[in-house]
Amino acid sequence: MNSKDFSEAMNLLDSKYIDEAIGYQSKRKVNGWLKFGAAAACLMLIVGVVFWKQTTHNGRRVISEYPTNSSVSYVSTPAPGEVMFAIELKEARKKYAGKNVTFLLTFDMFKDHGELSEKERIAEYQRLFSLGYELYTAECWTYQGEGEKRYYTKVVGYFNESDLTLFRSNPEYGYMFYFLTDGDGSGISVDKTDIITDFPGNIC
């Protein structure tokens, strides 16, 4: 059929059929709950992509920060031989009890309620490394002055619940474990290439 034949055939159609075809609307209605469910699923997917950090370590989900309602992290320093945990870490351990997670933490060390010298700290890092603890250097930042960022390096490590419960401390030192966050409150991350094999200076 050429265009002329098609045009002539269209002229033979009753105009009422053409009007009906133009005005036709599907009687099929989409269920309101279906619309709502699809919208909710999309929203959950977006939120998940934005806020869930898919960071893992040795097959375990890494917890590098934890929100808390407490305004106090820790108020006292541990005595020699004592291992303490900041409030937010205590809450995180309770929440994730029995779960396959690893905590990315830093820790401060004390001797007679004072901080260790750089030489003592490096020697203790070396001892812990020799015991099999994974220690890394992490570059962090905090605010100083009028909103300026100050960068510093800190030693952090991956610890599971067993590592924390059975931590092999030096009886001469006290330890305080906590989450290390940047100045905006976000958790830090480390690159596997930053694992510590020796200990240069200027490490907090």
Side-chain angles (χ1 to χ4, degrees), residues 68-79:
T68 178
N69 293 325
S70 175
S71 59
V72 178
S73 183
Y74 64 92
V75 294
S76 61
T77 57

Side-chain angles (χ1 to χ4, degrees), residues 25 31 39 41 45 48 52 78 87 93 97 101 132 137 182 184 187 190 202:
Q25 292 182 352
N31 188 306
L45 179 61
W52 183 48
I87 298 294
R93 291 177 69 190
V101 301
T137 56
D182 284 326
D184 59 359
V190 295
N202 301 321

Side-chain angles (χ1 to χ4, degrees), residues 83-96:
V83 179
M84 296 178 64
F85 308 100
I87 298 294
E88 63 272 16
L89 178 53
K90 289 181 179 179
E91 294 178 359
R93 291 177 69 190
K94 184 176 180 180
K95 168 152 180 96
Y96 293 103

Side-chain angles (χ1 to χ4, degrees), residues 2-195:
N2 57 32
S3 60
K4 180 180 179 183
D5 294 335
F6 179 77
S7 177
E8 290 177 353
M10 289 296 293
N11 288 332
L12 295 174
L13 286 176
D14 193 320
S15 61
K16 74 173 185 176
Y17 297 123
I18 296 174
D19 293 338
E20 286 178 4
I22 292 173
Y24 176 78
Q25 292 182 352
S26 174
K27 295 181 180 179
R28 181 182 172 192
K29 294 183 178 179
V30 178
N31 188 306
W33 285 107
L34 185 61
K35 288 181 182 178
F36 178 77
C42 290
L43 179 60
M44 289 178 66
L45 179 61
I46 293 170
V47 170
V49 169
V50 172
F51 294 103
W52 183 48
K53 295 182 179 179
Q54 299 183 27
T55 306
T56 59
H57 180 72
N58 292 339
R60 296 168 180 254
R61 181 180 172 195
V62 173
I63 309 301
S64 60
E65 60 185 306
Y66 190 81
T68 178
N69 293 325
S70 175
S71 59
V72 178
S73 183
Y74 64 92
V75 294
S76 61
T77 57
E82 186 177 13
V83 179
M84 296 178 64
F85 308 100
I87 298 294
E88 63 272 16
L89 178 53
K90 289 181 179 179
E91 294 178 359
R93 291 177 69 190
K94 184 176 180 180
K95 168 152 180 96
Y96 293 103
K99 304 290 179 61
N100 194 33
V101 301
T102 294
F103 301 102
L104 181 56
L105 306 169
T106 190
F107 53 95
D108 293 333
M109 297 179 287
F110 303 88
K111 182 179 181 180
D112 298 326
H113 298 285
E115 294 188 3
L116 276 64
S117 67
E118 182 178 3
K119 183 178 179 180
E120 289 172 323
R121 279 191 292 106
I122 290 175
E124 179 60 2
Y125 290 143
Q126 289 174 327
R127 185 188 74 86
L128 293 172
F129 183 79
S130 70
L131 291 173
Y133 292 103
E134 288 185 70
L135 301 180
Y136 295 75
T137 56
E139 186 180 65
C140 317
W141 62 269
T142 187
Y143 288 115
Q144 71 172 13
E146 298 183 6
E148 298 177 354
K149 288 184 179 180
R150 178 178 69 85
Y151 289 87
Y152 62 99
T153 301
K154 191 83 173 175
V155 171
V156 299
Y158 288 108
F159 301 90
N160 58 36
E161 181 59 33
S162 178
D163 293 329
L164 297 176
T165 303
L166 304 173
F167 183 70
R168 299 167 71 180
S169 61
N170 182 328
E172 295 183 7
Y173 303 149
Y175 304 78
M176 172 59 74
F177 284 84
Y178 58 96
F179 290 111
L180 180 64
T181 57
D182 284 326
D184 59 359
S186 61
I188 57 97
S189 62
V190 295
D191 193 296
K192 288 192 179 294
T193 59
D194 292 331
I195 191 167

